[in-house]
Amino acid sequence: MAASVLRSACGPVRLGVACLCRRRPPRSLWARARRLPGLVGSARSVAAASGAGALGSDRYCMELLRKRDYEGYLCSLLLPAQSRSSAFALRAFNVELAQVKDSVSEKTIGLMRMEFWKKTVDDIYRDNPPQQPVALELWKAVKRHNLTKRWLMKIIDEREKNLDDRAYRNIQELENYAENTQSALLYLTLEILGVKDLHADHAASHIGKAQGIVTCLRATPYHGSRRRVFLPMDICMLHGVSQEDFLRKNQDKNVRDVIYDIASQAHLHLKHARSFHKSVPVKAFPAFLQTVALEDYLKKIQRVDFDIFHPSLQQKNTLLPLSLYIQSWRNRY
């Protein structure tokens, strides 16, 4: 039954999924999506939803995530039903912060936006959230799961520091940024799932760092089109590569070596995270499903010999929902 749902949602899939599953799998990702409020028949854009009464705040968060963080949206769909709306709120909060940098023309405006979210988080913990959809849903999540305020503030503070248009000085600086944003997001997701475990926290730290590094790599062509390069300077200098080489889309071996070194660091973090697999509670595994998308990107960039500008790297993986579903059913990360 699940296989037929997958085929109807994605078209013909010739992967021999049946041979992977000897017992009846749980409801599919698409079946769950249809059961969620607001995913059927909603054609309104996120921009239209920003007005009061256009969409409910829960639907607004889902739509925002679907449009701006599709991988996070899919991963959130596979969380337990009682945790799903809170995860949508948390990731929508992260999207709101992440898009500040590219949506403002002056740093001062960006700082004002960040100040709004700092005050919003303070007000949420005083039970007085502003009438803004993401803020309202985040307030519900905080009340429901007693989320740690410190992690929310860390995400804002780190995003605020990142408003400066400058490259990371070294790989450690990039990892610190990822720890305070992506890893902090995973710590909060574990709280939503009711997981308090040191091994799960260690895994979350490494997965968050891998996510931050991969995000930096994936965004390189986009940043280059805007004449910006954020790749760690220490690795670029090690291989004698300048920012201009990336702006000109240079494909010399030295440029590929830079990408290889950075991608290898992300792969190493995934390997470390999986070394805790036997010690991490199974209840925490849904929080780490994003490793599927991370590994997919790292394999693709290896196949194109670390050519960061190869067109195939910008193509959406249409089989990602299926891969996530199978990984979720197998209880792996």
Side-chain angles (χ1 to χ4, degrees):
M1 172 130 183
S4 65
V5 174
L6 291 170
R7 283 196 295 271
S8 65
C10 295
V13 178
R14 299 181 178 88
L15 295 179
V17 176
C19 69
L20 295 175
C21 312
R22 294 186 177 274
R23 60 183 176 86
R24 183 183 179 87
R27 287 200 309 273
S28 74
L29 175 58
W30 291 271
R32 292 187 185 187
R34 286 199 297 271
R35 293 175 67 90
L36 284 171
L39 293 184
V40 179
S42 175
R44 301 183 187 183
S45 67
V46 172
S50 61
L55 289 178
S57 56
D58 55 343
R59 294 184 184 184
Y60 175 88
C61 289
M62 285 189 287
E63 280 293 289
L64 178 63
L65 205 58
R66 185 175 65 83
K67 291 175 182 291
R68 306 297 184 195
D69 180 13
Y70 185 64
E71 291 173 1
Y73 170 78
L74 293 176
C75 291
S76 298
L77 283 176
L78 285 167
L79 293 178
Q82 66 273 19
S83 304
R84 214 171 290 147
S85 62
S86 297
F88 278 126
L90 184 60
R91 286 190 172 272
F93 165 73
N94 184 59
V95 168
E96 288 276 9
L97 296 174
Q99 61 188 10
V100 168
K101 185 172 183 176
D102 288 330
S103 63
V104 298
S105 56
E106 298 178 12
K107 181 181 176 182
T108 305
I109 300 173
L111 291 172
M112 291 171 63
R113 294 271 294 274
M114 293 300 181
E115 196 59 38
F116 164 79
W117 281 108
K118 286 181 183 179
K119 185 177 186 306
T120 293
V121 170
D122 283 335
D123 289 343
I124 282 172
Y125 281 85
R126 297 190 189 107
D127 283 337
N128 185 32
Q131 295 302 303
Q132 197 270 2
V134 175
L136 288 172
E137 287 301 301
L138 188 60
W139 171 66
K140 294 176 188 177
V142 168
K143 294 286 286 183
R144 195 177 296 132
H145 305 286
N146 194 27
L147 300 181
T148 303
K149 180 180 178 181
R150 176 165 56 98
W151 297 125
L152 294 171
M153 297 302 284
K154 267 186 176 292
I155 297 173
I156 300 173
D157 290 339
E158 200 64 34
R159 294 284 189 188
E160 184 177 75
K161 292 176 189 175
N162 198 242
L163 289 175
D164 292 319
D165 281 336
R166 64 175 183 82
Y168 298 102
R169 287 174 295 182
N170 48 54
I171 191 71
Q172 289 76 25
E173 191 170 84
L174 173 54
E175 288 176 336
N176 288 338
Y177 172 75
E179 169 68 26
N180 290 325
T181 52
Q182 299 296 339
S183 298
L185 197 65
L186 288 176
Y187 299 148
L188 289 163
T189 305
L190 290 173
E191 291 184 353
I192 287 172
L193 293 172
V195 176
K196 293 182 179 180
D197 181 82
L198 186 60
H199 294 105
D201 288 345
H202 283 319
S205 176
H206 286 294
I207 292 170
K209 288 173 182 174
Q211 177 73 69
I213 294 170
V214 167
T215 299
C216 185
L217 288 173
R218 289 172 74 169
T220 295
Y222 168 74
H223 289 145
S225 70
R226 304 183 69 177
R227 301 199 60 79
R228 297 173 180 173
V229 179
F230 296 108
L231 297 174
M233 290 188 293
D234 63 334
I235 297 179
C236 292
M237 292 172 63
L238 180 66
H239 295 285
V241 174
S242 67
Q243 291 192 350
E244 195 65 29
D245 288 321
F246 286 101
L247 297 178
R248 293 176 179 173
K249 298 185 178 181
N250 192 324
Q251 297 180 15
D252 290 348
K253 182 180 181 299
N254 286 4
V255 174
R256 293 172 187 254
D257 286 344
V258 169
I259 302 304
Y260 170 80
D261 283 358
I262 298 172
S264 296
Q265 192 69 10
H267 176 76
L268 191 61
H269 281 299
L270 278 184
K271 186 177 179 181
H272 284 325
R274 285 170 172 158
S275 71
F276 296 103
H277 186 274
K278 293 183 179 179
S279 304
V280 172
V282 175
K283 191 178 180 182
F285 287 6
F288 302 150
L289 282 173
Q290 66 201 69
T291 56
V292 174
L294 298 179
E295 189 167 41
D296 175 68
Y297 180 83
L298 292 173
K299 285 181 177 178
K300 284 198 298 186
I301 202 170
Q302 184 179 27
R303 283 197 293 268
V304 299
D305 195 23
F306 302 96
D307 176 8
I308 194 70
F309 300 104
H310 197 280
S312 66
L313 297 178
Q314 303 303 316
Q315 295 172 359
K316 183 179 288 188
N317 179 6
T318 56
L319 292 179
L320 180 60
L322 177 61
S323 301
L324 286 167
Y325 166 69
I326 292 173
Q327 191 84 328
S328 173
W329 176 70
R330 285 176 168 177
N331 272 332
R332 293 183 181 179
Y333 69 84

